[in-house]
Amino acid sequence: MALNDNPSANLALELVRSMDRLRGRIRSETGMGASPYSRSQLAALQRVVHGPPATTSDLAAAEYMRPQSMAQTLTVLEKHGLVTRSPDPDDGRRILITATPRGREEAERWLQAREAWLTAAIDRTLTTSEREGLSALVNILERLADAGAPAAARRGARPAPGHP
């Protein structure tokens, strides 16, 4: 159903709807809905686990959140023993967030559950050619996610002091 004569706008709407459906399905299939943690809390935990130690502001920028919202997210994770805060050894004014061993275990458990369902769905649903197309699509989606973003917020970027 076309909204207007702009093909890019229509494609954008279809992409958002498809991503929302896939995200919902992953949530349903992996039991994430029963998790005590929200999607934003799990995303922040993943970033802390897989990235270098970072400040609350660094993490907020990387997740495209307000620093106050990230602070609330991290407070919940800290309360559950998943992350800790400690002074930056190079600049004692900065507080760095790092994952605890329990936080790393929780992040890995969630990641394995999510990937297990999606891997099985890819294997049973897509042809070899479609898998290759999906690989190309992942690269395109990453480029879209990084479009216009500060370099420090881009996937895989290493933070400079004060940035993720």
Side-chain angles (χ1 to χ4, degrees):
M1 174 166 106
L3 289 181
N4 57 44
D5 292 333
N6 183 340
S8 293
N10 293 328
L11 183 58
L13 180 60
E14 290 176 23
L15 179 60
V16 167
R17 286 179 178 162
S18 293
M19 289 188 325
D20 286 348
R21 285 190 69 228
L22 181 59
R23 191 176 311 123
R25 183 71 189 269
I26 290 169
R27 228 180 135 73
S28 171
E29 293 292 336
T30 61
M32 200 172 134
S35 170
Y37 308 108
S38 69
R39 189 179 85 66
S40 60
Q41 290 164 348
L42 289 169
L45 180 60
Q46 287 292 331
R47 182 152 312 256
V48 170
V49 165
H50 296 289
T55 66
T56 299
S57 294
D58 296 339
L59 293 167
E63 289 296 317
Y64 303 101
M65 295 174 71
R66 292 186 351 247
Q68 297 86 346
S69 298
M70 181 56 76
Q72 291 173 342
T73 295
L74 293 171
T75 296
V76 171
L77 297 177
E78 186 176 31
K79 178 183 169 188
H80 286 94
L82 305 178
V83 300
T84 60
R85 301 171 197 257
S86 58
D88 183 332
D90 299 325
D91 181 351
R93 298 169 296 174
R94 292 171 24 107
I95 301 298
L96 298 177
I97 311 299
T98 55
T100 64
R102 181 168 178 241
R104 291 183 184 285
E105 289 171 12
E106 181 68 24
E108 185 62 26
R109 184 189 64 73
W110 178 71
L111 189 62
Q112 285 177 354
R114 181 181 62 185
E115 288 180 1
W117 176 81
L118 193 51
T119 298
I122 289 169
D123 286 345
R124 75 175 171 266
T125 307
L126 302 182
T127 65
T128 300
S129 176
E130 288 171 328
R131 283 187 207 117
E132 291 168 3
L134 183 58
S135 180
L137 176 61
V138 168
N139 290 324
I140 291 168
L141 292 173
E142 288 298 330
R143 285 181 31 224
L144 286 173
D146 290 341
R154 293 185 187 136
R155 182 178 186 233
R158 291 288 179 223
H163 297 288

